C-alpha cells in the first residue's frame, strides 16, 4: 500500500490536480481532520499558481460520503481475502473454460501511470488477453491515430509555451474556456501581451467562441472540408514551405489533390461548411500570413465518425507550412483526462502493446523478454465499442472496470447495462459506492475499494508530455487500497507473484521507465530512460518533467521534431489524403435534429466527485438541452420548460435552454448527469456512437434526434440535510447545497398531494407552511428542535423554480425570524443573488448585473465591486459577456 503522509500539522504537499489534462500543480495542506486546504502551486510550469473552479474546489470533494470503503461481493460486504479470491478464482475458471481472451479490462485515463502499467502488464503479458481498452478510446484515440499516421508515432510535438508565443491560436472543437481553463487563461494572457488572435471552430458558440477574435460556427462534422480548403488556399497563395515538404515529408501530392476535390476554393469551403465566405477567407488569410500558429484540437475533432481524418486535415496544414517543432507553432492535441497521456505511454489502448510499441513481431518479442511474460499477446484486442458488443454477445465472460463509469459515459449506455448483466464475472475498482457502474449487477459482481485522489501516490502526464507526481496527503480510508496493489494481489493468486512483487509505486515507475528505454536507441519517441534508476527518495521529490528524457539526460525536451525527422521508417512525416465530410447525420423526418454532447464549466464527467461540491453544483444544477430559438418555436419548446430528447439509442428528459449559441437544427446536452444525480438525464444513453473507421473512437457529437415538449403539473425544490430519494414518477435532479442536499423536481401531482407527501416524509416534526392550493402553491419549512432541517417549495409546472434565496437561508441551521418568513413567502428581505456565475466567491448573476448597472464597466471593475472573477477566473468569459458592448467585439 502507499505511504500516506502524516496528516497532522503537515506542511503543504505538492501534488497534481486529478481533473483535466492541463495538469495543474496543487498545494494541498491537510487540516488533520480529513479536510484539506487547496492552492495552486506557483512553481508548477502548467499553471504557475493558478487553479480553475474545479481545482479550487478540490477540498470539497475529499469527504468520505458515498465512498466505497469495503470490498463487496454480490452486494454483501466481504473481506479482502474473500473478494480477491472471488476475482482470481473467477478469472482462472473463465480462462480455463473459455480461453483467456474471454476476459476483458476496461481502464481509464484517470488511473495513475503505475496502476495503468500493472493492469496492462497483467492482462497482456500474463493473463494473455488482448482485450484491454480504456475510456481514452472515447476521448483521444483519434488524435493518437492521426499522430501515428502523420508522424509514425503518437507524439505531441509542442508544449504550452508555444501558446504563450503564438500569434494565432486556432481552437478546433474545443471549449477550452470551460474544459482547459488554465491553458485558456494562458492564451488570453498571450493576447494581452502580444496581440495573439484566437479563432474558434465549433458549431456552438461556447464561452470560448465568445472570447474569440473570429468564431467559425461550422456545420457539424465538416472540419475536413474547412482544413482541406485551407490547404488548397496555402498552396494557391504560395504559402507552402516547399523545402520542408520536399526534405521532411511524403504524400503531399495525394493530399492536395484530394483537398482540391473536397474544397477547391474559399467559396466551395463556405458551401461545404455552412460558413459565410468572408469568414472563411478571413481565416485562410490569417493562417496564411502568420508563421506562429498553434492549432489546438479536442473533442469536436476526436469524438467524430471521421475523427482521425479531421486530425490529419489539421496536421496536413502544419506540415505544408513547416510549422511544427518550432516555438509558437504546431498542432496541439488538448488531452482531456489527467493521465490520458500516461495511459498511452504504458500501452493501455487495445491497439498498443506497451511503451509506445505495437505488434510488430520484434516488438512483441522485446516486451515478452523484458516482462518475462509467459502469455504475451501477439495482436490487437477489441476497442471499447466492439468490446461491449462482444460482452453483449456473450463472447466476453469477465470484465474488470477500473476508474471509469461506462454506464454513464459509453454511447448506447442502456445497452451497456444489459450487457453487463449477462457477464459471469464483473469486477469494478471504484472509489464511490453509488456510481451507476458500481450499482450494476452481473452473475457475480465484485466491488474493490480504490484509493482516491489525495490518498494515492504515483504519476500522471499532461497534454505537453509533462510527468508530474500525484502525492498522498490523506490516510487511506476504510479498507481502500491502491489499484496497483489490488492487482498485484490478484496476480499473485494467479501464480504470477514474481512479476508483480511491487511494494511501492516507485518500483513500478522504474520498471516502466526501464521498458521505455529497453532496446530503444532513439527508435521510439517515448523514452524516459533517464528515470529508470530513480531512487525512492528522488521519486518522492521528483519535480514535473517532460519526456523524452533518455539516459544521460537530466532535463526533458519541450519539443519534438525540431530537426524535421519523424518516427516513420524513412524519417519523413506523412500527409494524409482525407475523406470528404460524410454527413451521416443527414436529418430524417423522424429525427430532424443533430444531437451534440459535451461538458459544462464546473462538473467533471459523471459527477461522482464534483457533485460533492456545493460550489461546483451551483453553476448548472439540472441536466438541460440547448435549443435554438427557431427550433424552440418549431417544436413548441419554452425556455425553462421540459423536453424529451429521443434518439435510436435512448431517451432523456431535461430542462430546455433556448439560446442562439447553438445552430438551428442542432441541440446540445451535457454528459454529466447519471442515474445517481437525475431521474432521466444521461446523455450517453442518447449517443449512438458510430466508431471512426481508423481509430474506433465513437461519434459522440452528432446523433440524429427528435425533441418534444413535456409538461408537468407542479415544479419545485426540496432542501434536506441528508440526501433524500425522490418518489418514483418524479422528474428530479440532485445537487449538493451548502448544509445539505437539494432536489429540483417536477411532478404530475398538485400542491395538495405534495403537501400530504411532505407531511408523510417528516412525521411528528414541526412544519411551518404557506398554502395557496387555488394557485397551486405550497411552501413548507420543517424544524427539528428549532433547527431548520428541510424546506420545500411547490408551484405550478410552468414556473422554473428559483431556489437561490432558499439555499442561502438553508445554509445555516439556526435561522432568524426574517429568514423563516423568507422561506415561506418566497421573497427576500434582502434580494436573491440569482444563479451562481462565480463559483469561487458564490456571486450570482443578479449581483454582477447590479454591479455593472452601478457603473462597473470592465471585468476588473466588476471584480472590485463584488469579487466575482477574482479568484480562479473561470467565470471571466461569462462576466465579459454581461458587460455593455460585449456584442460589439465579435469582429474578425
Ligand atoms: N469542466 C470540465 N472540463 C473538462 C472535463 C469535464 O468533464 N468538465 N473533461 C475533460 C475531458 S476528459 C475532455 S476529453 C475534455 C474535452 O474538452 P472539449 O473537447 O473542449 O469539450 P466538449 O464539450 O466535449 O467538446 C468541445 C466542443 O466540440 C464541439 N463540436 C461538436 N461537434 C463538432 C464538430 O463537428 N466540429 C467541431 N469543430 N466542433 C464540434 C462542441 O460543440 C463542443 O463545444 O475536457 C476535459 N476538461
Ligand atoms: N455523450 C458523451 N459521452 C461521453 C463524452 C461526451 O463528450 N459525450 N466524453 C467521453 C470522454 S472524452 C470521457 S474521458 C469519458 C469519461 O467518462 P468516465 O471515465 O466514465 O467518467 P468519470 O466520472 O471520470 O469516471 C471515473 C470513475 O472512476 C472513479 N474513481 C475516482 N478515483 C478513482 C481511483 O483512484 N481508482 C478507481 N479505480 N476509480 C476511481 C470515479 O468515482 C468514477 O466513477 O466520457 C466519455 N463519454
Ligand atoms: S485547468 Fe482546472 S481542472 Fe484542469 S488541471 Fe488545472 S485546475 Fe485542474
Ligand atoms: Mo475525455
Amino acid at each position: 500500500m502507499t505511504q500516506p503522509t502524516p496528516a497532522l500539522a503537515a506542511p503543504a504537499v505538492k501534488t497534481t490536480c486529478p481533473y483535466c489534462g492541463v495538469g495543474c500543480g496543487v498545494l494541498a495542506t491537510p487540516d488533520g481532520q480529513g479536510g484539506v486546504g487547496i492552492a495552486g502551486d506557483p512553481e508548477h510550469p502548467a499553471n504557475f499558481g493558478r487553479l480553475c473552479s474545479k481545482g479550487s474546489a478540490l477540498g470539497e470533494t475529499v469527504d468520505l460520503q458515498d465512498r466505497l470503503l469495503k470490498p463487496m461481493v454480490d452486494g454483501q460486504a466481504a473481506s479482502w481475502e474473500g473478494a480477491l479470491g472471488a476475482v482470481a478464482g473467477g478469472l482462472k475458471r473463465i480462462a480455463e473454460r473459455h480461453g483467456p481472451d474471454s476476459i476483458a479490462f476496461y481502464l481509464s485515463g484517470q488511473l495513475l501511470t503505475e496502476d495503468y502499467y500493472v493492469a496492462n502488464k497483467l492482462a497482456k503479458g500474463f493473463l494473455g488477453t488482448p482485450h484491454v481498452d480504456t475510456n481514452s478510446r472515447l476521448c483521444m484515440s483519434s488524435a493518437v491515430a492521426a499522430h501515428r499516421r502523420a508522424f509514425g508515432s503518437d507524439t505531441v510535438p509542442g508544449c504550452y509555451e508555444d501558446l504563450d508565443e503564438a500569434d494565432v491560436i486556432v481552437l478546433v472543437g474545443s471549449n477550452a474556456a470551460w474544459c482547459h481553463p488554465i491553458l485558456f487563461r494562458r492564451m488570453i494572457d498571450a493576447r494581452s501581451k502580444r496581440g495573439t488572435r484566437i479563432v474558434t471552430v465549433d458549431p456552438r458558440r461556447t464561452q470560448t467562441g465568445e472570447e474569440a477574435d473570429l468564431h467559425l460556427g461550422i456545420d457539424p462534422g465538416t472540419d475536413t472540408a474547412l482544413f482541406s480548403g485551407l490547404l488548397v488556399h496555402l498552396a494557391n497563395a504560395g504559402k507552402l514551405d516547399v523545402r520542408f515538404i520536399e526534405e521532411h515529408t511524403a504524400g503531399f501530392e495525394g493530399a492536395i489533390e484530394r483537398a482540391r476535390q473536397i474544397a477547391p476554393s474559399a467559396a466551395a469551403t463556405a458551401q461545404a461548411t455552412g460558413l459565410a465566405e468572408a469568414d472563411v477567407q478571413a481565416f485562410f488569410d490569417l493562417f496564411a500570413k502568420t508563421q506562429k500558429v498553434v492549432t489546438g484540437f479536442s473533442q469536436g475533432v476526436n469524438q467524430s465518425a471521421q475523427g482521425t481524418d479531421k486530425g490529419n486535415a489539421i496536421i496536413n496544414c502544419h506540415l505544408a507550412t513547416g510549422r511544427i517543432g518550432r516555438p509558437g507553432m504546431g498542432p496541439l492535441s488538448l488531452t482531456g483526462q489527467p493521465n490520458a497521456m500516461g495511459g498511452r505511454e504504458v500501452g493501455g489502448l487495445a491497439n498498443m502493446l506497451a511503451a509506445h510499441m505495437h505488434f510488430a513481431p520484434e516488438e512483441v518479442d522485446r516486451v515478452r523478454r523484458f516482462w518475462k511474460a509467459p502469455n504475451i499477446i501477439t495482436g490487437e484486442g477489441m476497442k471499447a465499442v466492439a468490446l461491449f458488443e462482444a460482452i453483449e454477445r456473450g463472447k466476453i465472460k469477465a470484465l474488470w472496470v477500473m476508474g471509469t463509469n461506462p454506464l454513464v459515459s459509453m454511447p448506447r449506455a442502456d445497452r451497456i447495462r444489459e450487457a453487463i448483466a449477462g457477464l459471469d464475472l464483473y469486477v469494478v475498482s471504484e472509489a464511490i459506492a453509488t456510481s451507476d457502474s458500481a450499482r450494476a449487477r452481473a452473475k457475480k459482481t465484485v466491488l474493490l475499494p480504490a484509493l482516491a485522489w489525495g490518498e494515492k501516490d504515483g504519476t500522471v502526464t499532461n497534454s505537453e508530455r509533462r510527468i508530474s507526481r500525484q502525492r498522498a496527503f490523506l490516510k487511506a480510508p476504510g479498507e481502500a487500497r491502491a489499484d496497483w496493489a489490488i492487482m498485484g494481489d490478484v496476480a499473485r493468486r494467479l501464480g504470477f507473484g514474481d512479476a508483480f512483487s511491487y511494494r511501492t509505486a516507485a518500483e513500478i515507475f522504474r520498471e516502466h521507465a526501464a521498458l521505455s528505454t529497453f532496446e530503444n536507441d532513439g527508435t521510439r519517441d517515448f523514452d524516459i530512460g533517464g528515470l529508470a534508476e530513480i531512487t525512492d527518495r528522488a521519486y518522492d521529490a521528483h519535480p514535473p518533467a517532460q519526456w523524452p528524457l533518455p539516459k544521460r539526460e537530466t532535463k526533458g525536451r519541450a519539443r519534438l521534431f525540431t530537426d524535421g525527422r519523424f518516427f516513420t521508417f524513412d524519417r519523413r512525416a506523412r500527409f494524409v489524403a482525407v475523406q470528404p465530410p460524410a454527413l451521416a447525420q443527414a436529418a430524417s423526418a423522424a429525427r430532424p435534429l443533430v444531437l451534440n454532447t459535451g461538458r459544462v464549466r464546473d462538473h467533471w464527467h459523471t459527477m461522482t466527485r464534483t457533485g460533492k461540491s456545493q460550489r461546483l453544483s451551483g453553476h448548472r444544477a439540472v441536466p438541460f438541452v440547448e435549443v435554438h430559438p427557431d427550433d424552440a418555436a418549431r417544436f413548441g419548446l419554452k425556455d425553462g420548460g421540459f423536453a424529451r430528447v429521443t434518439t435510436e439509442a435512448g431517451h432523456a428528459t431535461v430542462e430546455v435552454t433556448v439560446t442562439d449559441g447553438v445552430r438551428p437544427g442542432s441541440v446540445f446536452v451535457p454528459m454529466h448527469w447519471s442515474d445517481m444525480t437525475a431521474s432521466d438525464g444521461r446523455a450517453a444513453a442518447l449517443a449512438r456512437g458510430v466508431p471512426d473507421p481508423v481509430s474506433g473512437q465513437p461519434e459522440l457529437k452528432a446523433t440524429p434526434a427528435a425533441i418534444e415538449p413535456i409538461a408537468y403539473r407542479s415544479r419545485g425544490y426540496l432542501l434536506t440535510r441528508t440526501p433524500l430519494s425522490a418518489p418514483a414518477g418524479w422528474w428530479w435532479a440532485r445537487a449538493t447545497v451548502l448544509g445539505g442536499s437539494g432536489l429540483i423536481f417536477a411532478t404530475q401531482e398538485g400542491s395538495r398531494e405534495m403537501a400530504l407527501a411532505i407531511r408523510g416524509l417528516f412525521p411528528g416534526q414541526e412544519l411551518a407552511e404557506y398554502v395557496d392550493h387555488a394557485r397551486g402553491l405550497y411552501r413548507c419549512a420543517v424544524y427539528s428542535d428549532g433547527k431548520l432541517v428541510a424546506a420545500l417549495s411547490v408551484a405550478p409546472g410552468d414556473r422554473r423554480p428559483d431556489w437561490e434565496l432558499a439555499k442561502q437561508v438553508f445554509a445555516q441551521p439556526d435561522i432568524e425570524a426574517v429568514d423563516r418568513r423568507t422561506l415561506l413567502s418566497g421573497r427576500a428581505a434582502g434580494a436573491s443573488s440569482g444563479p451562481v456565475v462565480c463559483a469561487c466567491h458564490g456571486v450570482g448573476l443578479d449581483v454582477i448585473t447590479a454591479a455593472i448597472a452601478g457603473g462597473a464597466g470592465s471585468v476588473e471593475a466588476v471584480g472590485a465591486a463584488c469579487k466575482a472573477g477574482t479568484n480562479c477566473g473561470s467565470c471571466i468569459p461569462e462576466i465579459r459577456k454581461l458587460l455593455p458592448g460585449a456584442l460589439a467585439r465579435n469582429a474578425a
Side-chain angles (χ1 to χ4, degrees), residues 111 115 402 429-430 450-451 456 481-488:
L111 295 172
D115 298 322
M402 206 176 293
S429 295
E430 244 299 345
L451 293 180
K456 58 184 185 175
R481 302 182 60 200
D483 286 308
W484 63 260
I486 300 172
M487 286 181 281

Side-chain angles (χ1 to χ4, degrees), residues 646-668:
T646 318
T647 68
E648 65 176 65
H651 57 79
T653 307
V654 290
E655 205 178 86
V656 175
T657 300
V658 176
T659 164
D660 65 2
V662 292
R663 297 176 62 101
S666 169
V667 294
F668 174 84

